Every structure is written in structure tokens, then in C-alpha cells.
Amino acid sequence: MTSSVETATGPIDASELGRVLMHEHVFVISTEIQQNYPQEWGDEQHRIDDAAARLRELKESGIDTILDPTAIGLGRYIPRIQKVAEQIDLKIVCATGLYTFNELPHYYRRRNTSDADALTSHFVQDIDQGFGNTGVKAGVIKCATDKPGLTPDVERVLRACAQTHRETGCPITTHTDAETERGLDQQKIFLEEGVDLTRVVIGHCGDTNDLDYLQRLLDAGSILGMDRFGIDGYLTTEQRVEVVAHLCEKGFADQLVLSHDASCYIDWIEGEVPLAPLPNWHYLHISKDVIPALLQAGVSDEQIDTMLVDTPKRFLGSQSLGGY
Ligand SMILES: [Zn+2]
């Protein structure tokens, strides 16, 4: 059965996704600050060309697609992503959803009635009609739960994502704080809302080597995002590789996906990527360093393909299979 996946350059067949990094940003931007203080961002065309060059290099390293989970709250601007995507062969899957650790933007706070949450309306619109007038449709739904946990607004975002998923069949990918086991909070809300947890990537699971926590998430059926290779502050690459190799050995390769959570430009930290404090935090670390290290640690070529090709295809291609 064929199934299509929406990308920044239009729908493609899921079989064309190839090797996928399942959590990479192109730009992470504090929009209102950049609009008022544009000196650091500089020339728009330069930033677009720089992103295209970095993604072309990624394609040459053997990666065919990235899932860019840049939702509202992270500076998403699809017309700019389109300009990058038009220059390159690598495919970019874009996200609806909202990223907050605490509160919603004021825009949404009063726009909620018992049968119509403005969040859900926007998310469904991004999936069914596309982002604004771009013609680009969302291929995934994104939300976040960090140290503050299920604040009232975070819970509202999670429920809106779940309802959007049920209405559209679009899969969900998340940000979590692994140390405080936020993935379990997300699974609880999603289950209450009737989400099939096999259609959810619990993000940033690679930030911990607490195998009990990871096992509980796996047992509930979700896919684990081993998706922050290069962010050494949580775990080093060596430690991250060890956890992935262990879970592969236990037979869970088909519930793991790989990524860096890197970007071409992120204004949260001063400087150009790769940032001085995080030399491995760039798009090429997995292709150049992590895959050889995984093979060295006993992971098979077949398991690498499962994590980079088969599971992303199953996850992203499931939207048009119906069943909801
Ligand atoms: Zn991210």
C-alpha cells in the first residue's frame, strides 16, 4: 500500500523518504526580538543560502530527509523554509503544534470553548489546508513537556495535539525533559485522549541512560527519539551510543529513531553553528561519527536501516492509511 508524506516541496511517497533524521531544526528564531534587533541575523538571503549549503552537505553524507519540528514558539516561518527547500534535494517535513514549557502565548489564552479550541483549529488547518498561503502542509504534530510538567497550558496543548491527531491521523512528535520522566506524563494524557501510542515519538529520550524509564515508554508502544547526539551536557556521544546499542541488542531497534536536534542557526546561544561549547552539535555528527560508533558497538547495518529508514517511514507514512 502506498502512502504519501507532506514536505516543504509537496507530498512524496513514503518510500521516497530514504534515510531520515527525525528531529532537526533549520532555524530556531525568537521572531519578535529578531524583527526589532536584526543585526545578528543579518542578510536574509545569506541565511537561506547558508542553510541550503549545510543541508546539501547533509544529503551528501547519506541523509535524504529531515523532520523539522519547529512549531509556534520556536520561530517557525514556512516561506523561508520553502526558499531553502527549493534549492536542495533533501526533503524537509514541517510541523504544526506549539512549543511551550509553561504558558500559552496570550493570543490563545482566551480562545478556547468546550467544543472549539483555537489551538486545535490552527493545527488541523496546517495539516488539511497548509500553513497560511504557502501550500505546504504539516506532516507531523509537535508539543513539549519540560521540567515544569503538566501546567494547565501545557496540558491544553497536549490535549489539542491529541485531538488533532485523532481528527487527521497525523503522527505526534514531542520534546521532553528526560530527567523528570516527562514522557510518561505525555503518554498518560495521550492515552486519555485515545491516541495510539505507537504513532508517537517521545523526544529526547537519548538524554538519559535510565533504562527503567526508557523501558516503560517502550512497553507502552511509543517510538523513542534518540535525537540529541552532540548535546554532550546531558550525555556524551559514547554514553548515547551505549544506550542505543543496548536497546538494539534487546530487540527494540524498530522503536528507536536517531537525530541531533541541531539547526543551521539558533539565536538561543551566541555564535554560529557549530557553537563553541558544543562542537559535535551539527547535522553531520551522526553520519560521520555516530553510525561508525554504533557499528563498532555491535549494532548491525540492518538495525541502522531500521532506525533511519523503516521506522520513520512507518511513522510518517501512516497518516494516509486511515483507521481513524
Ligand atoms: Zn528540537
Side-chain angles (χ1 to χ4, degrees):
M1 185 171 188
T2 59
S3 54
S4 69
V5 177
E6 296 294 338
T7 77
T9 44
I12 60 169
D13 192 87
S15 62
E16 295 172 70
L17 287 167
R19 288 191 153 197
V20 187
L21 296 184
M22 287 281 279
H23 193 124
E24 305 294 345
H25 302 274
V26 180
F27 303 111
V28 177
I29 296 170
S30 309
T31 304
E32 199 175 2
I33 293 169
Q34 292 284 359
Q35 285 170 342
N36 285 281
Y37 309 97
Q39 293 83 356
E40 185 188 282
W41 172 259
D43 180 58
E44 170 82 7
Q45 192 59 44
H46 165 74
R47 291 290 175 192
I48 289 167
D49 293 344
D50 175 65
R54 290 172 189 264
L55 291 166
R56 231 176 263 128
E57 235 187 325
L58 177 61
K59 172 83 180 174
E60 281 160 21
S61 83
I63 300 298
D64 305 295
T65 303
I66 60 168
L67 189 161
D68 178 355
T70 307
I72 296 289
L74 292 169
R76 185 186 69 213
Y77 185 56
I78 297 299
R80 184 181 290 131
I81 298 296
Q82 278 181 298
K83 286 183 186 155
V84 173
E86 281 160 8
Q87 290 193 44
I88 58 177
D89 292 331
L90 180 135
K91 302 294 180 192
I92 303 173
V93 177
C94 303
T96 187
L98 192 137
Y99 182 93
T100 182
F101 293 174
N102 289 295
E103 294 186 338
L104 280 165
H106 285 281
Y107 177 95
Y108 288 110
R109 298 193 76 169
R110 292 171 199 279
R111 299 181 196 229
N112 182 24
T113 62
S114 57
D115 57 359
D117 189 331
L119 288 169
T120 313
S121 312
H122 275 173
F123 299 166
V124 170
Q125 184 184 314
D126 291 341
I127 294 163
D128 285 347
Q129 280 130 54
F131 301 99
N133 299 319
T134 63
V136 177
K137 294 180 178 177
V140 74
I141 307 163
K142 166 79 179 291
C143 55
T145 315
D146 205 272
K147 284 194 166 60
L150 294 172
T151 69
D153 281 3
V154 166
E155 185 172 334
R156 186 176 147 198
V157 174
L158 262 54
R159 291 192 191 279
C161 287
Q163 285 155 17
T164 304
H165 163 83
R166 292 198 56 208
E167 202 170 319
T168 61
C170 194
I172 298 173
T173 192
T174 77
H175 163 105
T176 64
D177 178 61
E179 192 194 339
T180 51
E181 305 193 338
R182 292 302 174 218
L184 296 170
D185 295 333
Q186 293 179 337
Q187 285 185 330
K188 175 179 159 280
I189 298 294
F190 292 155
L191 264 186
E192 282 175 15
E193 295 288 338
V195 173
D196 172 357
L197 294 181
T198 66
R199 314 277 313 283
V200 177
V201 171
I202 301 294
H204 310 340
C205 287
D207 284 348
T208 183
N209 49 12
D210 178 348
L211 295 173
D212 290 338
Y213 168 63
L214 298 179
Q215 192 62 54
R216 290 170 73 188
L217 296 172
L218 287 166
D219 288 345
S222 297
I223 298 164
L224 307 190
M226 313 308 276
D227 54 12
R228 277 180 150 183
F229 279 97
I231 306 191
D232 299 337
Y234 292 97
L235 288 183
T236 63
T237 295
E238 205 182 346
Q239 291 171 308
R240 291 172 190 272
V241 163
E242 203 179 309
V243 175
V244 172
H246 174 80
L247 293 175
C248 283
E249 199 189 325
K250 288 190 75 185
F252 293 107
D254 67 347
Q255 278 178 262
L256 306 177
V257 290
L258 307 177
S259 219
H260 310 92
D261 196 9
S263 33
C264 299
Y265 173 85
I266 174 166
D267 69 15
W268 297 6
I269 307 168
E270 250 184 298
E272 300 289 323
V273 176
L275 300 155
L278 296 165
N280 290 322
W281 198 37
H282 58 81
Y283 291 151
L284 305 178
H285 183 45
I286 287 177
S287 303
K288 294 204 160 131
D289 310 312
V290 175
I291 292 175
L294 286 169
L295 293 169
Q296 187 75 31
V299 176
S300 68
D301 283 314
E302 198 191 341
Q303 287 168 325
I304 303 272
D305 277 348
T306 300
M307 295 186 280
L308 288 176
V309 180
D310 301 336
T311 299
K313 182 180 161 193
R314 184 179 80 231
F315 174 79
L316 290 168
S318 56
Q319 184 173 350
S320 52
L321 294 179
Y324 278 85

